[in-house]
Amino acid sequence: MRNRSFHRRAVVVTLAAGLIVAHAAWAQPIQERTIRWGHLQNKDHPVSAGANKFAQVVEQKSGGKIKVREFPSSSLGSESQQQSALQGGTQEMMSASTTTLVGIVKEFGVLDFPFLFADEREADALLDGPIGKRLLDRLPEHDLVGLAYWENGFRNVTNSKRPITRPEDLAGLKIRVMQNPVYLEAFKAVNANPVPMAFGELFTALETKTVDAQENPYSIILGNKFNEVQKYLSITRHSYNAFIVLMSKKFWDKLSPTEKQIMQEAAAEARAYERQVARAAASRDLEALKTKGMQVNELSPAETARMRTLLKPVSDKFAASYDPAFMRDFYAEMDCIRKK
């Protein structure tokens, strides 16, 4: 009898000790952590402002326990190198073009379709809605977690040869593009010569005339001083480009529920801030590029319509290779957005 009583008391003590340990772990849901955040842009780019806003919110919400260190200007490597580092757990966060994810979730390619969005409102509605979430939900199986979509902006062509006033003016131009099948096929469709190249190599390639042209939003053109090696800026708005805030799933899985909530709230707050900064900067950056001597022209509505028609088969080709159910919902969502 005494042995059974002793055993019961031992079990109770053990269970109580376990509960105390569990409670202690729950009572301290935020640990001291340092997050390394890498991206390709310079410190004066809106994505840097967004990263700093994220850092401020995280530090405030974590009581100073979680710090975010920014590594701009490709200092942690190319986007593909940083993506691999996140997947391997040797880097915690990065902000990258959604275009870089096409290699692991090909349906991200829909966001690169030429002339997909008429304006930023349409882009926000799709990215922040059900389609954007479905794409994010595909990332954990590839050891990544997507926290939010930020803005890079509408892309425009610069080159050292001539103004682009019609699709035919792109013929023969060696144009640097991201390593993305949609971009490659789109520029081939207008008889340009697309050259995939890491962003960090681009300025030198333009300077040495290894390539004639490139395409990016105004902020990247100005921030990377492409105006020094490119004479012509043609406002084509041929594609909208979003950044995506990515976290290593291996790091994410180490976070407590409280820490995960902090990350999600910070990414959402920083998203609104970064988009505001990016949109305020766009017209200012365009004027600065003119002031610095770039010759700027805008495609007429008629030529834009012609280019859209020429590039539609590219979108149709890739759409046919994507998941049919996803594409059905994607087109339905776009129709709904355009009617609002």
Side-chain angles (χ1 to χ4, degrees):
M1 181 70 71
R2 287 180 61 192
N3 287 341
R4 284 201 298 270
S5 177
F6 176 81
H7 178 70
R8 283 197 297 271
R9 285 198 301 272
V11 169
V12 170
V13 170
T14 301
L15 289 173
L19 288 172
I20 291 170
V21 171
H23 178 74
W26 183 256
Q28 296 179 336
I30 303 175
Q31 297 183 28
E32 299 277 350
R33 301 184 187 276
T34 298
I35 294 172
R36 290 162 296 170
W37 178 317
H39 62 84
L40 305 191
Q41 309 311 324
N42 297 329
K43 289 284 289 180
D44 56 358
H45 189 276
V47 78
S48 181
N52 281 286
K53 179 69 171 179
F54 178 91
Q56 292 167 11
V57 175
V58 166
E59 186 166 354
Q60 183 268 322
K61 289 180 178 289
S62 69
K65 289 185 176 181
I66 304 177
K67 309 287 188 183
V68 180
R69 289 186 62 199
E70 180 192 13
F71 291 83
S73 306
S74 305
S75 56
L76 294 182
S78 68
E79 283 185 331
S80 61
Q81 289 170 330
Q82 292 190 50
Q83 181 179 301
S84 295
L86 261 67
Q87 291 172 305
T90 58
Q91 180 178 326
E92 291 77 28
M93 291 188 71
M94 68 180 294
S95 41
S97 168
T98 57
T99 297
T100 63
L101 296 172
V102 172
I104 59 174
V105 179
K106 64 181 181 179
E107 281 77 14
F108 267 100
V110 299
L111 304 180
D112 297 320
F113 282 2
F115 299 103
L116 176 62
F117 300 120
D119 52 34
E120 291 85 354
R121 181 198 67 83
E122 291 186 359
D124 290 352
L126 186 79
L127 293 168
D128 299 342
I131 291 298
K133 184 178 185 303
R134 279 172 66 173
L135 289 170
L136 295 183
D137 289 346
R138 295 283 305 279
L139 292 174
E141 64 190 273
H142 300 283
D143 296 318
L144 298 169
V145 174
L147 295 178
Y149 296 99
W150 291 3
E151 176 152 295
N152 192 8
F154 283 95
R155 303 178 76 89
N156 303 283
V157 175
T158 72
N159 81 98
S160 57
K161 298 285 189 181
R162 55 184 173 267
I164 307 302
T165 61
R166 54 182 187 152
E168 289 79 5
D169 292 330
L170 288 161
L173 282 182
K174 291 180 291 183
I175 182 167
R176 176 268 176 182
V177 297
M178 292 178 283
Q179 182 66 54
N180 176 282
V182 176
Y183 278 77
L184 287 165
E185 290 295 322
F187 281 100
K188 286 178 182 176
V190 290
N191 297 313
N193 181 16
V195 180
M197 181 182 295
F199 184 79
E201 302 170 9
L202 180 53
F203 185 92
T204 300
L206 294 170
E207 186 176 35
T208 60
K209 301 295 193 294
T210 303
V211 293
D212 306 310
Q214 64 87 48
E215 44 85 49
N216 261 303
Y218 303 135
S219 58
I220 292 180
I221 297 168
L222 179 65
N224 290 275
K225 301 182 179 180
F226 292 156
N227 55 285
E228 295 181 0
V229 289
Q230 298 272 269
K231 181 176 181 180
Y232 303 101
L233 165 59
S234 299
I235 303 173
T236 53
R237 291 171 63 91
H238 55 274
S239 178
Y240 176 87
N241 191 217
F243 286 125
I244 186 167
V245 176
L246 294 173
M247 180 172 282
S248 164
K249 185 175 184 298
K250 291 185 177 181
F251 178 72
W252 175 262
D253 289 343
K254 296 176 184 176
L255 301 179
S256 69
T258 300
E259 289 171 325
K260 289 177 180 177
Q261 183 176 348
I262 288 172
M263 298 300 162
Q264 290 169 328
E265 290 175 356
E269 285 191 42
R271 174 185 65 197
Y273 178 76
E274 190 274 345
R275 285 175 176 171
Q276 180 184 25
V277 170
R279 290 164 191 177
S283 58
R284 183 174 68 245
D285 291 345
L286 175 59
E287 290 307 310
L289 290 167
K290 291 178 181 178
T291 300
K292 290 179 180 295
M294 291 201 84
Q295 184 174 317
V296 178
N297 73 284
E298 185 169 2
L299 258 66
S300 68
E303 292 300 335
T304 298
R306 284 187 60 229
M307 188 177 289
R308 184 183 294 112
T309 299
L310 286 170
L311 295 179
K312 186 176 184 303
V314 174
S315 301
D316 292 343
K317 172 185 174 180
F318 284 96
S321 71
Y322 297 160
D323 176 61
F326 175 84
M327 291 309 303
R328 181 181 63 246
D329 294 343
F330 166 76
Y331 284 126
E333 183 71 12
M334 282 305 305
D335 285 343
C336 181
I337 289 169
R338 287 166 180 158
K339 289 175 183 176
K340 289 183 179 178

